[in-house]
Amino acid sequence: MNANLPLIAAFINFIVICFADSLSPEMQMYWENHMVQPYFDNTTKREVTAIAGQTCQLHCRVKSLGDRAVSWIRKRDLHILTVGILTYTNDQRFQSLHTDGSDEWTLRITSPQARDSGVYECQVSTEPKISQAFRVNVVVSKANILGNAELFVKSGSDINLTCVALQSPQPPSFIYWYKGGRVINYSQRGGISVLTEQQTRTSRLLIARASPSDSGNYTCAPSNSDSASVVVHVIKGEHPAAMQHGINGASMTRSSAYQTVVAIVSACVQLCLLATHALAAEVSASPVARPVR
């Protein structure tokens, strides 16, 4: 039935236009408000992926609305969010936007959260009511710096960090790198370069000839994702075990020490067993003393 409404409404509108000159203004308004049935413009985007914390909008277009009202309803609990441009919920993150003379009614969700994911209906107060469903998927986008949470680098070597933000539905407009709480300043020293590829959502930070002063907390902050951090330690001298990346290096050091202790204990046990067997053999080979009669 709803599929035929645009065709029926267009036909009735055609009749009204043909006889517009012969109808009084009151009659024209009556036709528009009571005889012409509203219908939805199906060219609008019906499925929206939003990033948690960033405003998203649902656009509903209704043709030949007349004096009917447009409401936004949350499907999961049938809660009426807005009627016209009025908000009917205590959650002020939901707001209806409309410009006079426009056929578009927009539901704006400020700072959406994962719990806001679901179906929302744009409903028109006809008899019977007609509605159009919109699906919202709120994702939590978090950046990730490849590797471990700690990085050990030998003084004089390069610091090479790669940050990805694959969960974001849209490429970030920018990706900033911070050391501590400050944006990395390329003019502070030479040898710093950043290569950002928006389409692949990837950014690489290269610091050549690292010195101990380059040690610190490095943060990757895309425009549309939560940030990610890594702690870099630039150390002097030869520290083979510490040159492993992050926790793995510490784990390998502890593992090697544990294996060494086990090997020593095992060797001691074997030596004790050998000594015990040798003593037992010596005792059994000794002549037994007999009492003198």
Side-chain angles (χ1 to χ4, degrees), residues 51-55 141-143 163-165 168-178 196 198 201-203 219-228:
I51 300 173
Q54 297 191 13
T55 299
S141 178
K142 181 173 177 59
C163 174
V164 294
S168 59
Q170 299 293 332
S173 56
F174 60 83
I175 299 178
Y176 286 155
W177 283 93
Y178 294 83
T196 299
Q198 290 185 335
R201 299 165 171 82
T202 302
S203 181
T219 299
C220 161
S223 61
N224 57 355
S225 300
D226 291 343
S227 61

Side-chain angles (χ1 to χ4, degrees), residues 38 42-43 48 53 62 67 84 89 104 106 109 111 118 152 163 188 190 203 212 255:
N42 292 320
T43 62
V48 176
V62 184
D67 61 353
T89 175
E104 183 167 289
T106 300
I109 308 175
S111 188
F152 292 85
C163 174
Q188 287 180 347
S203 181
S255 177

Side-chain angles (χ1 to χ4, degrees), residues 9 13 36-43 61-66 103 124 130:
N13 284 337
V36 179
Q37 287 295 315
Y39 62 95
F40 293 106
D41 180 349
N42 292 320
T43 62
R61 294 194 184 100
V62 184
K63 303 292 186 179
S64 303
L65 180 62
D103 58 8
V124 180
I130 59 173

Side-chain angles (χ1 to χ4, degrees), residues 60-118:
C60 177
R61 294 194 184 100
V62 184
K63 303 292 186 179
S64 303
L65 180 62
D67 61 353
R68 286 85 167 186
V70 175
S71 304
W72 281 100
I73 298 172
R74 186 167 55 205
K75 184 69 172 178
R76 62 179 167 86
D77 55 3
L78 299 179
H79 189 81
I80 299 175
L81 302 174
T82 65
V83 177
I85 58 173
L86 302 178
T87 301
Y88 277 73
T89 175
N90 292 329
D91 192 342
Q92 296 301 311
R93 297 179 305 123
F94 295 93
Q95 183 182 5
S96 177
L97 306 177
H98 176 69
T99 302
D100 288 342
S102 168
D103 58 8
E104 183 167 289
W105 298 81
T106 300
L107 177 66
R108 181 168 68 184
I109 308 175
T110 304
S111 188
Q113 305 300 316
R115 67 177 184 274
D116 295 319
S117 296

Side-chain angles (χ1 to χ4, degrees), residues 70-286:
V70 175
S71 304
W72 281 100
I73 298 172
R74 186 167 55 205
K75 184 69 172 178
R76 62 179 167 86
D77 55 3
L78 299 179
H79 189 81
I80 299 175
L81 302 174
T82 65
V83 177
I85 58 173
L86 302 178
T87 301
Y88 277 73
T89 175
N90 292 329
D91 192 342
Q92 296 301 311
R93 297 179 305 123
F94 295 93
Q95 183 182 5
S96 177
L97 306 177
H98 176 69
T99 302
D100 288 342
S102 168
D103 58 8
E104 183 167 289
W105 298 81
T106 300
L107 177 66
R108 181 168 68 184
I109 308 175
T110 304
S111 188
Q113 305 300 316
R115 67 177 184 274
D116 295 319
S117 296
V119 176
Y120 295 80
E121 283 191 350
C122 174
Q123 188 180 92
V124 180
S125 61
T126 53
E127 287 297 337
K129 293 180 173 60
I130 59 173
S131 62
Q132 189 174 62
F134 294 76
R135 178 172 293 278
V136 176
N137 181 32
V138 182
V139 298
V140 179
S141 178
K142 181 173 177 59
N144 179 41
I145 297 178
L146 303 183
N148 297 290
E150 287 189 272
L151 176 66
F152 292 85
V153 178
K154 181 181 176 181
S155 181
S157 300
D158 296 342
I159 299 174
N160 196 339
L161 303 177
T162 300
C163 174
V164 294
L166 297 179
Q167 292 178 315
S168 59
Q170 299 293 332
S173 56
F174 60 83
I175 299 178
Y176 286 155
W177 283 93
Y178 294 83
K179 181 188 176 187
R182 296 183 178 181
V183 176
I184 292 178
N185 189 341
Y186 302 95
S187 63
Q188 287 180 347
R189 52 156 290 186
I192 298 179
S193 62
V194 173
L195 176 62
T196 299
E197 299 174 356
Q198 290 185 335
Q199 293 305 315
T200 60
R201 299 165 171 82
T202 302
S203 181
R204 295 179 176 86
L205 170 65
L206 176 64
I207 302 177
R209 303 178 302 279
S211 65
S213 63
D214 293 316
S215 297
N217 187 299
Y218 287 81
T219 299
C220 161
S223 61
N224 57 355
S225 300
D226 291 343
S227 61
S229 297
V230 62
V231 178
V232 176
H233 304 275
V234 181
I235 55 181
K236 293 182 178 180
E238 297 292 339
H239 297 274
M243 298 314 295
Q244 302 295 327
H245 291 293
I247 299 173
N248 284 350
S251 300
M252 292 180 65
T253 303
R254 291 194 295 268
S255 177
S256 299
Y258 174 78
Q259 292 176 359
T260 301
V261 172
V262 170
I264 293 174
V265 172
S266 178
C268 290
V269 171
Q270 291 179 3
L271 288 174
C272 290
L273 290 175
L274 289 175
T276 301
H277 287 307
L279 181 60
E282 183 178 351
V283 170
S284 62
S286 301

